[in-house]
């Protein structure tokens, strides 16, 4: 395994951490749009108040690793996707402003909506960016030769719909863990509904990949029909964890829905990540061809490789500090 391969998997690990941790706090914002009670909004926002900044750490580290280890991806691919990337930045700002301002005003209705719709916008931007890269991009050497709207396709729409179900599914599991009483019961119902939607969208997504002859690189069959045995095996494990998620919700368990949803996402990442490897931008840009020179990758491994356990410890400590059930600030 080369240094570029090592950084490919570090990048995949950081992406999994970001999608899961920021996914559940984005999902809390989306679920706020379904809830009318301001008292419940306060509890829902309080449940992520102590950790949502820490969850953003992984986005910063993703940008840093892309910039240092894979400058071609950072400089060329993000420039090619400047419209959804710019939209993501504005959506992140709107969501952050919404969550911070609602804590300071008496009438929270408007800022709760800004927080909720900002979370929807960030999720849509995630789907477009991820879909735009995974479906393949047109390069002539190191120059992007595709159009400004190549990212708009049935695949990116399906992937965005999947995330719009997946994030509230994670959020429901988080709220089951962090709340109690009527809100916890409602969160279980949200978990069943959005979990079913996420599994359904994932099945549609894999079905679309099977029908489209150009997306075989996502399922371990580049240029061919069908699914690779490794992809099928990992996807089956992911579906089994989804089944355990539903069982845990039905049994009234509090911690296990969150744990099973994290493991489910991990195996979905492994299924697509191992199928794509060593490609980092399909159909032809590999991790090796997009990577910085070996000395740079080695220095980054010493610096960021040593820094990563510190960040993991910091995040784990923050979750420990803010452990326990969420209570509105005015009731503390």
């Amino acid at each position: 395994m080369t240094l570029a391969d090592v950084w490919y998997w570090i990048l995949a690990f950081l992406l999994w951490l970001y999608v899961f941790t920021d996914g559940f706090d984005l999902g809390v914002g989306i679920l706020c749009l379904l809830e009318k009670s301001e008292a419940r909004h306060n509890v829902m926002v309080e449940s992520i108040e102590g950790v949502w900044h820490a969850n953003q750490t992984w986005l910063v580290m993703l940008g840093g690793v892309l910039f240092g280890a894979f400058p071609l991806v950072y400089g060329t691919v993000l420039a090619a996707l400047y419209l959804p990337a710019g939209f993501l930045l504005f959506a992140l700002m709107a969501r952050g402003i919404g969550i911070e301002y609602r804590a300071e005003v008496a009438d929270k209705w408007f800022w709760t909506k800004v927080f909720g719709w900002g979370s929807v916008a960030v999720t849509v931007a995630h789907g477009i960016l991820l879909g735009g890269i995974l479906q393949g991009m047109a390069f002539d050497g190191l120059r992007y030769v595709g159009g400004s709207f190549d990212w708009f396709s049935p695949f990116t729409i399906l992937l965005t719909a999947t995330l719009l179900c997946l994030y509230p599914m994670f959020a429901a599991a988080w709220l089951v863990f962090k709340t109690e009483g009527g809100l916890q019961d409602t969160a279980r119902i949200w978990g069943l509904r959005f979990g079913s939607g996420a599994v359904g969208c994932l099945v549609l997504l894999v079905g679309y990949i099977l029908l489209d002859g150009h997306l075989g690189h996502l399922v371990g069959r580049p240029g061919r029909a069908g699914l690779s045995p490794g992809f099928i095996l990992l996807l089956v494990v992911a579906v089994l964890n989804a089944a355990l998620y539903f069982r845990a919700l039905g049994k009234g368990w509090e911690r296990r829905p969150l744990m099973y949803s994290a493991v489910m996402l991990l195996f979905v990442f492994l299924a697509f990540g191992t199928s794509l490897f060593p490609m980092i931008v399909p159909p032809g840009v590999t991790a090796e061809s997009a990577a910085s020179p070996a000395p740079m990758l080695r220095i980054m491994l010493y610096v960021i490789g040593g820094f990563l356990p510190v960040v993991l410890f910091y995040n784990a400590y923050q979750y420990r500090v803010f452990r326990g059930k969420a209570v509105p600030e005015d009731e503390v």
Side-chain angles (χ1 to χ4, degrees):
M1 181 177 281
T2 66
L3 282 169
D5 297 340
V6 171
W7 277 107
Y8 176 95
W9 289 110
I10 291 175
L11 188 70
F13 175 64
L14 292 174
L15 186 61
W16 170 72
L17 277 174
Y18 174 64
V19 169
F20 182 68
T21 58
D22 206 33
F24 73 68
D25 62 47
L26 285 167
V28 167
I30 295 171
L31 292 178
C32 277
L33 296 173
L34 304 179
E35 178 57 59
K36 294 181 179 177
S37 164
E38 186 175 304
R40 286 190 174 187
H41 288 158
N42 292 341
V43 178
M44 291 165 76
V45 173
E46 183 62 25
S47 75
I48 61 168
E49 187 69 38
V51 297
W52 79 276
H53 289 97
N55 295 341
Q56 300 291 309
T57 310
W58 306 119
L59 180 61
V60 176
M61 289 202 71
L62 270 171
V65 169
L66 272 179
F67 179 77
F70 300 107
L72 173 68
V73 179
Y74 187 90
T76 308
V77 174
L78 287 184
L81 295 169
Y82 64 94
L83 284 176
F87 178 65
L88 173 64
L89 292 178
F90 280 108
L92 283 169
M93 285 190 283
R95 175 174 172 268
I97 290 170
I99 195 170
E100 294 291 352
Y101 274 49
R102 79 172 301 284
E104 305 297 330
V105 297
D107 184 3
K108 301 179 185 300
W109 181 87
F110 175 75
W111 294 111
T112 301
K113 294 295 180 187
V114 173
F115 169 50
W117 286 110
S119 300
V120 172
V122 172
T123 306
V124 170
H126 282 175
I128 292 172
L129 283 169
L130 201 56
I133 294 171
L134 291 179
Q135 70 181 354
M137 302 182 74
F139 278 93
D140 179 11
L142 299 181
R143 189 167 63 91
Y144 176 68
V145 293
S148 298
F149 293 93
D150 280 5
W151 46 265
F152 187 73
S153 69
F155 175 74
T156 56
I157 293 172
L158 265 175
L159 185 58
T160 301
T162 304
L163 294 183
L164 283 170
C165 292
L166 202 61
Y167 288 176
M169 172 188 174
F170 298 157
W174 173 255
L175 291 173
V176 166
F177 176 55
K178 292 291 288 184
T179 65
E180 52 195 355
L183 179 55
Q184 189 186 59
D185 294 338
T186 305
R188 290 186 191 282
I189 295 170
W190 284 333
L192 293 171
R193 290 176 180 171
F194 282 100
S196 302
V199 173
C201 284
L202 192 59
V203 170
L204 286 175
L205 196 66
V206 174
Y208 180 80
I209 292 169
L210 277 172
L211 293 174
D212 188 290
H214 301 92
L215 296 172
H217 55 268
L218 294 175
V219 292
R221 305 276 291 182
R224 292 177 293 167
L227 305 172
S228 71
F231 180 87
I232 294 172
L233 179 64
L234 291 167
L235 199 62
V236 166
V237 178
V239 171
L240 283 174
N241 275 279
L244 291 171
Y245 168 89
F246 292 123
R247 182 171 180 268
L249 285 176
K251 289 282 187 182
W253 293 331
E254 293 189 343
R255 294 174 181 268
R256 295 189 189 188
L258 192 63
M259 181 185 72
Y260 289 134
S261 59
V263 178
M264 182 199 79
L265 182 68
L266 176 65
F267 277 94
V268 170
F269 263 60
L270 286 173
F272 285 103
T274 53
S275 298
L276 272 171
F277 183 76
M279 277 189 294
I280 192 166
V281 181
V285 180
T286 63
E288 194 72 40
S289 65
S292 294
M296 176 67 180
L297 295 179
R298 194 171 293 110
I299 291 171
M300 284 185 63
L301 202 58
Y302 295 144
V303 176
I304 296 184
F307 188 58
L308 186 58
V310 177
V311 179
L312 283 167
F313 175 79
Y314 160 75
N315 277 267
Y317 180 73
Q318 189 146 359
Y319 277 86
R320 178 172 171 75
V321 168
F322 292 99
R323 66 187 182 279
K325 298 293 184 182
V327 178
E329 199 169 310
D330 54 1
E331 293 181 16
V332 175

